[in-house]
Amino acid sequence: MTDTYVKIDLKTMAQNARNIVAKYPEYGTFIGIVKGDAYGHGYGIVNALYENGIRYFAVSSMEEAADFRKENTKAPLLCLEPIATDRISEAAELQLTLAIPDLDYLNSLLDTHCPYPFNLHLQIDSGFNRLGFKDKREIRKAADLIEKSPYFLEGVYQHYATAGIFDPHFDAQTNRFRELTSLLDLSKIPLIHLGSGIALMAHPKADIATATRMGLMMYGYNISPDSYGGGLKDRLRSMRDDYYHKKYHLSEVIRDVELDLTPAMTYQCRILQLKDVKKGEHIGYGAGYTAEEDIRIAVLPVGYNNGIGHQNNGRVAEINGRLFSFVGEMGMNMSAVKVDADVAMNDEVTLLGGKITLGMFSRFSGMGLAEIMLGIGKNNPRYYID
Ligand SMILES: *Cc1c(COP(=O)(O)O)cnc(C)c1O
């Protein structure tokens, strides 16, 4: 085995897919988001999803699409970013579904000769202010142009900026989407997809939606907002949410969704050296850590070059089911944890997985959930287990 290793459990991915599809029968099509090298899991996971009900996928570039197609040539595959029209024949070879962000792009696509009958999805900008149409007449015009073209308007979609749990933006975006698409006959367009995993879990399906997209969930994270416990902080949180709910007349929020999702990624490493450090000695760059007593440390082959960030506040590693704290600064490729006499050279060290959840990792590294998986998956040797 390599010094650091990321294990991706394909059975877990398959089970997550089955559970999601079974939980939300009101959606006809599930679009698995596999941008960013499938959130660091690699395209080796796509068939575990495809064979278990997630039958449509989305990537964010042609390069990702090419990697996807090495694993699966059948699934429809949407590219979320507009592909350069001078690469249209590559897109045809990859059998991509194309996202259309505005009329200029559509016109240049229609001017580019290509015999492949592309499916197209119109991107609607309902308030996120990234890609997409912001004018309903232009949206209508685009649909008319596509109608007369060799291509098929298969989808219309938008993306939410917030989770809509205690803010008015979510509902405002749904309403704006309705308004922007009001000159289209949505019943003739097979795939209307409004949001990502949090919209799926925290909100009832919008009547117009026929499909949903999700990323994090498939990789095993239940992102459902949790209900309130009995503590003071929870009571304050609940009061604040109630206040905003009334103030903005917010739509229903679903909490504590029971959906069995298991993280498919574990990140582990071996120990390079065990060493005794005397009271008063320093550890690492800047002599930043001083031993307050005689301690024992394990030196690990893990640093910010492994995609885990340099921030180290409260970071822990799990060895033999117990948690140990990092001591001293993260190096580029090396770091140390304070251990005890029970830890041995051959013990496996877990950095993500086991007792260490993505949420914990996010708190001590200051990184976002997807960012963590992406960094770990891309910067370490990865193994699929079946
Ligand atoms: C990344 C992305 C998603 C997936 O979001 P999750 O929060 O991981 O479910 C969905 N839709 C679009 C357009 C995205 O860019």
Side-chain angles (χ1 to χ4, degrees), residues 33 35 39 80 157 159 196-197 213-216:
I33 303 291
K35 65 191 180 200
Y39 289 42
L80 295 164
Y157 75 99
H159 195 45
S196 60
R213 305 183 302 272
M214 70 266 129
L216 273 173

Side-chain angles (χ1 to χ4, degrees), residues 174-218:
T174 312
N175 294 336
R176 184 93 187 112
F177 182 88
R178 287 181 200 281
E179 168 62 16
L180 286 171
T181 57
S182 60
L183 300 178
L184 302 181
D185 182 355
L186 290 183
S187 71
K188 296 232 166 63
I189 304 171
L191 302 179
I192 312 295
H193 44 115
L194 303 190
S196 60
I198 188 69
L200 175 63
M201 293 202 87
H203 298 273
K205 186 181 90 59
D207 53 351
I208 48 177
T210 59
T212 182
R213 305 183 302 272
M214 70 266 129
L216 273 173
M217 290 169 65
M218 299 187 306

